[in-house]
Amino acid sequence: KKRRTIPVVRWSSLAVIPENARKAGSWRLLTVQSFIILSWSLAVIGFAGPQIVHSFEKRYTEGVDIMIALDVSGSMRSVDDPTAIRASLSRGYYHDTAGILTNRLQHARRLTADFLAKRKDDRLGLTVFAGYAITKCPLTFDHELLLRILSDVDFTDVQQQSTAIGMAMANSLQRLVSSKAKSRVLILVTDGVNNAGTIDPETATEMARALGVKVYTVGVGSDEPLLPTQKPDYYVRSQTVIDENSLKGIAEKTGGAYFRAADARMLENHTSFGKTDAY
């Protein structure tokens, strides 16, 4: 107001006003319009009430704590497809031209995922083993996380290629020691014989008995499966040696049960055993 000047008409017609003079000060109008739009936008966002919510859930269930010990040794690359095995009888090998054969580990991963879907009120965890055992996921209610971890399980998770059943049991039992659940279960899935590790299956079985953990054992694989060769999509006939006596003994001594899954169909049938069992 102090600098107010007396209006003066410099031009008698708008047509003679220079272009820069006509646009002078237009930025002020744009600024005001921009602030109006911004104010309305902020008002709309404010009325919408966006917020960050931290939710907590308490569960009161009588669930079961279950650790799954999954064999990832090289023999789990074997294929137990009955049709492919029969086709290989004449030549001793099978050429999977369509690339559709699924190995034992792939079947075990898929059916373990199906098993998880049936145990919504239970805490589950995952141990993988070959020459030694590692915990991939401790006991958790977050089954989505466990499924993501399970989908990434591969033969490269354990570099030493042999079968340490006792170590797998001990690793899983370590995760169950602090559990306060009324029922604690270990599911052991393997297709071999214990031939590695510093803890043998007998010692691990006594550990499970002392802790009151039931062990369910699953022997995976047919007697004469197909093994992949270095040549892509070619498989040769092989043999599987499963120590069924040891697996049966582990299950019986701990109050569990033993299942034999010679092929994918039998393995799929056994994933429902948890529904009818006493635990």
mmCIF file of all heavy atoms in Angstrom, residues 13 41 56 109 118 134 137 158 165 186 191 196 202 204 211 219 222 230 234 259 261 279:
data_model
loop_
_atom_site.group_PDB
_atom_site.id
_atom_site.type_symbol
_atom_site.label_atom_id
_atom_site.label_comp_id
_atom_site.label_asym_id
_atom_site.label_seq_id
_atom_site.Cartn_x
_atom_site.Cartn_y
_atom_site.Cartn_z
ATOM 1 N N SER A 13 -5.570 1.211 -26.671
ATOM 2 C CA SER A 13 -6.199 0.001 -27.204
ATOM 3 C C SER A 13 -5.409 -1.213 -26.754
ATOM 4 O O SER A 13 -4.168 -1.170 -26.679
ATOM 5 C CB SER A 13 -6.245 0.055 -28.750
ATOM 6 O OG SER A 13 -6.713 -1.181 -29.259
ATOM 7 N N SER A 41 -7.048 -30.640 -2.487
ATOM 8 C CA SER A 41 -6.489 -32.004 -2.490
ATOM 9 C C SER A 41 -6.171 -32.464 -1.071
ATOM 10 O O SER A 41 -6.492 -33.583 -0.671
ATOM 11 C CB SER A 41 -5.233 -32.052 -3.353
ATOM 12 O OG SER A 41 -5.519 -31.683 -4.680
ATOM 13 N N PHE A 56 -2.243 -56.469 16.173
ATOM 14 C CA PHE A 56 -1.698 -57.597 16.907
ATOM 15 C C PHE A 56 -2.808 -58.632 17.082
ATOM 16 O O PHE A 56 -3.972 -58.287 17.301
ATOM 17 C CB PHE A 56 -1.179 -57.158 18.280
ATOM 18 C CG PHE A 56 -0.080 -56.130 18.193
ATOM 19 C CD1 PHE A 56 -0.363 -54.772 18.165
ATOM 20 C CD2 PHE A 56 1.244 -56.540 18.112
ATOM 21 C CE1 PHE A 56 0.643 -53.834 18.068
ATOM 22 C CE2 PHE A 56 2.256 -55.608 18.020
ATOM 23 C CZ PHE A 56 1.960 -54.251 18.000
ATOM 24 N N ARG A 109 7.876 -81.146 -1.956
ATOM 25 C CA ARG A 109 7.603 -79.718 -1.723
ATOM 26 C C ARG A 109 6.128 -79.397 -1.932
ATOM 27 O O ARG A 109 5.509 -78.708 -1.119
ATOM 28 C CB ARG A 109 8.448 -78.859 -2.676
ATOM 29 C CG ARG A 109 9.869 -78.630 -2.242
ATOM 30 C CD ARG A 109 10.444 -77.408 -2.926
ATOM 31 N NE ARG A 109 10.127 -77.387 -4.348
ATOM 32 C CZ ARG A 109 11.041 -77.435 -5.309
ATOM 33 N NH1 ARG A 109 12.311 -77.515 -5.015
ATOM 34 N NH2 ARG A 109 10.689 -77.403 -6.571
ATOM 35 N N LYS A 118 -3.652 -77.633 5.626
ATOM 36 C CA LYS A 118 -4.585 -78.350 6.491
ATOM 37 C C LYS A 118 -4.308 -78.131 7.974
ATOM 38 O O LYS A 118 -5.085 -78.574 8.813
ATOM 39 C CB LYS A 118 -4.503 -79.857 6.196
ATOM 40 C CG LYS A 118 -4.819 -80.216 4.753
ATOM 41 C CD LYS A 118 -4.483 -81.665 4.474
ATOM 42 C CE LYS A 118 -4.667 -81.993 2.996
ATOM 43 N NZ LYS A 118 -4.242 -83.376 2.668
ATOM 44 N N ILE A 134 20.180 -78.232 8.350
ATOM 45 C CA ILE A 134 20.047 -76.810 8.655
ATOM 46 C C ILE A 134 18.566 -76.480 8.837
ATOM 47 O O ILE A 134 17.705 -77.112 8.225
ATOM 48 C CB ILE A 134 20.646 -75.917 7.547
ATOM 49 C CG1 ILE A 134 19.944 -76.152 6.211
ATOM 50 C CG2 ILE A 134 22.133 -76.128 7.426
ATOM 51 C CD1 ILE A 134 20.361 -75.183 5.127
ATOM 52 N N CYS A 137 13.369 -72.816 8.498
ATOM 53 C CA CYS A 137 12.361 -71.951 9.108
ATOM 54 C C CYS A 137 12.021 -72.494 10.490
ATOM 55 O O CYS A 137 11.646 -73.660 10.614
ATOM 56 C CB CYS A 137 11.103 -71.897 8.243
ATOM 57 S SG CYS A 137 9.809 -70.811 8.899
ATOM 58 N N VAL A 158 22.140 -77.747 0.859
ATOM 59 C CA VAL A 158 23.144 -78.488 1.629
ATOM 60 C C VAL A 158 24.171 -79.031 0.652
ATOM 61 O O VAL A 158 23.843 -79.847 -0.213
ATOM 62 C CB VAL A 158 22.502 -79.650 2.428
ATOM 63 C CG1 VAL A 158 23.565 -80.375 3.242
ATOM 64 C CG2 VAL A 158 21.391 -79.126 3.332
ATOM 65 N N ILE A 165 20.379 -88.706 8.801
ATOM 66 C CA ILE A 165 19.039 -88.752 9.392
ATOM 67 C C ILE A 165 19.083 -88.354 10.866
ATOM 68 O O ILE A 165 18.233 -87.603 11.355
ATOM 69 C CB ILE A 165 18.435 -90.159 9.219
ATOM 70 C CG1 ILE A 165 18.183 -90.426 7.728
ATOM 71 C CG2 ILE A 165 17.153 -90.306 10.024
ATOM 72 C CD1 ILE A 165 17.674 -91.815 7.423
ATOM 73 N N LEU A 186 7.444 -84.513 14.984
ATOM 74 C CA LEU A 186 8.483 -84.414 13.969
ATOM 75 C C LEU A 186 8.097 -85.325 12.811
ATOM 76 O O LEU A 186 7.827 -86.510 13.014
ATOM 77 C CB LEU A 186 9.842 -84.821 14.546
ATOM 78 C CG LEU A 186 10.980 -85.095 13.548
ATOM 79 C CD1 LEU A 186 11.240 -83.884 12.678
ATOM 80 C CD2 LEU A 186 12.239 -85.529 14.279
ATOM 81 N N ASP A 191 14.577 -90.713 1.623
ATOM 82 C CA ASP A 191 14.567 -91.848 0.691
ATOM 83 C C ASP A 191 15.856 -92.662 0.795
ATOM 84 O O ASP A 191 16.219 -93.381 -0.135
ATOM 85 C CB ASP A 191 14.391 -91.348 -0.749
ATOM 86 C CG ASP A 191 15.610 -90.589 -1.260
ATOM 87 O OD1 ASP A 191 16.431 -90.152 -0.427
ATOM 88 O OD2 ASP A 191 15.752 -90.430 -2.482
ATOM 89 N N ALA A 196 25.862 -90.488 7.471
ATOM 90 C CA ALA A 196 26.676 -89.311 7.780
ATOM 91 C C ALA A 196 26.202 -88.703 9.088
ATOM 92 O O ALA A 196 25.170 -89.084 9.634
ATOM 93 C CB ALA A 196 26.587 -88.285 6.639
ATOM 94 N N GLU A 202 19.551 -93.745 16.335
ATOM 95 C CA GLU A 202 19.167 -94.344 17.613
ATOM 96 C C GLU A 202 19.270 -93.326 18.751
ATOM 97 O O GLU A 202 18.371 -93.225 19.593
ATOM 98 C CB GLU A 202 20.064 -95.555 17.917
ATOM 99 C CG GLU A 202 19.843 -96.763 17.004
ATOM 100 C CD GLU A 202 20.449 -96.571 15.624
ATOM 101 O OE1 GLU A 202 21.303 -95.671 15.463
ATOM 102 O OE2 GLU A 202 20.055 -97.317 14.701
ATOM 103 N N ALA A 204 19.199 -90.052 18.408
ATOM 104 C CA ALA A 204 18.176 -89.032 18.162
ATOM 105 C C ALA A 204 16.796 -89.533 18.575
ATOM 106 O O ALA A 204 15.968 -88.757 19.081
ATOM 107 C CB ALA A 204 18.177 -88.635 16.691
ATOM 108 N N LEU A 211 11.957 -86.184 25.225
ATOM 109 C CA LEU A 211 11.231 -84.917 25.096
ATOM 110 C C LEU A 211 9.734 -85.119 24.895
ATOM 111 O O LEU A 211 8.970 -84.143 24.913
ATOM 112 C CB LEU A 211 11.790 -84.115 23.918
ATOM 113 C CG LEU A 211 13.223 -83.597 24.058
ATOM 114 C CD1 LEU A 211 13.715 -83.008 22.738
ATOM 115 C CD2 LEU A 211 13.295 -82.539 25.161
ATOM 116 N N GLY A 219 9.083 -92.994 4.161
ATOM 117 C CA GLY A 219 10.078 -93.502 3.226
ATOM 118 C C GLY A 219 9.614 -93.233 1.806
ATOM 119 O O GLY A 219 8.605 -93.784 1.361
ATOM 120 N N SER A 222 10.313 -95.521 -5.058
ATOM 121 C CA SER A 222 10.161 -96.905 -5.505
ATOM 122 C C SER A 222 11.506 -97.613 -5.423
ATOM 123 O O SER A 222 12.548 -96.996 -5.195
ATOM 124 C CB SER A 222 9.634 -96.931 -6.941
ATOM 125 O OG SER A 222 10.496 -96.194 -7.793
ATOM 126 N N GLN A 230 23.568 -86.745 -17.242
ATOM 127 C CA GLN A 230 24.117 -85.454 -17.652
ATOM 128 C C GLN A 230 23.506 -84.981 -18.968
ATOM 129 O O GLN A 230 23.530 -83.792 -19.270
ATOM 130 C CB GLN A 230 25.639 -85.546 -17.772
ATOM 131 C CG GLN A 230 26.338 -85.788 -16.435
ATOM 132 C CD GLN A 230 27.840 -85.818 -16.575
ATOM 133 O OE1 GLN A 230 28.372 -85.885 -17.676
ATOM 134 N NE2 GLN A 230 28.539 -85.763 -15.447
ATOM 135 N N TYR A 234 17.233 -87.187 -20.214
ATOM 136 C CA TYR A 234 17.470 -88.626 -20.273
ATOM 137 C C TYR A 234 17.613 -89.179 -18.854
ATOM 138 O O TYR A 234 18.307 -88.598 -18.015
ATOM 139 C CB TYR A 234 18.736 -88.953 -21.080
ATOM 140 C CG TYR A 234 18.487 -89.023 -22.574
ATOM 141 C CD1 TYR A 234 18.534 -87.871 -23.355
ATOM 142 C CD2 TYR A 234 18.198 -90.239 -23.194
ATOM 143 C CE1 TYR A 234 18.300 -87.914 -24.725
ATOM 144 C CE2 TYR A 234 17.972 -90.299 -24.570
ATOM 145 C CZ TYR A 234 18.012 -89.143 -25.323
ATOM 146 O OH TYR A 234 17.775 -89.202 -26.677
ATOM 147 N N PHE A 259 5.297 -94.568 7.165
ATOM 148 C CA PHE A 259 4.557 -94.647 5.917
ATOM 149 C C PHE A 259 5.546 -94.862 4.776
ATOM 150 O O PHE A 259 6.623 -94.269 4.767
ATOM 151 C CB PHE A 259 3.768 -93.356 5.651
ATOM 152 C CG PHE A 259 2.798 -93.017 6.754
ATOM 153 C CD1 PHE A 259 3.188 -92.190 7.795
ATOM 154 C CD2 PHE A 259 1.518 -93.519 6.756
ATOM 155 C CE1 PHE A 259 2.306 -91.861 8.808
ATOM 156 C CE2 PHE A 259 0.622 -93.212 7.764
ATOM 157 C CZ PHE A 259 1.018 -92.379 8.797
ATOM 158 N N ALA A 261 5.904 -94.401 0.762
ATOM 159 C CA ALA A 261 5.321 -93.753 -0.410
ATOM 160 C C ALA A 261 6.189 -94.102 -1.614
ATOM 161 O O ALA A 261 7.199 -93.450 -1.876
ATOM 162 C CB ALA A 261 5.251 -92.242 -0.218
ATOM 163 N N TYR A 279 -2.746 -87.165 17.609
ATOM 164 C CA TYR A 279 -2.190 -85.868 17.980
ATOM 165 C C TYR A 279 -3.048 -84.742 17.424
ATOM 166 O O TYR A 279 -2.950 -83.620 17.855
ATOM 167 C CB TYR A 279 -0.729 -85.725 17.545
ATOM 168 C CG TYR A 279 -0.478 -85.460 16.101
ATOM 169 C CD1 TYR A 279 -0.749 -84.209 15.540
ATOM 170 C CD2 TYR A 279 0.048 -86.434 15.271
ATOM 171 C CE1 TYR A 279 -0.473 -83.950 14.211
ATOM 172 C CE2 TYR A 279 0.308 -86.181 13.950
ATOM 173 C CZ TYR A 279 0.053 -84.945 13.430
ATOM 174 O OH TYR A 279 0.330 -84.701 12.111
#
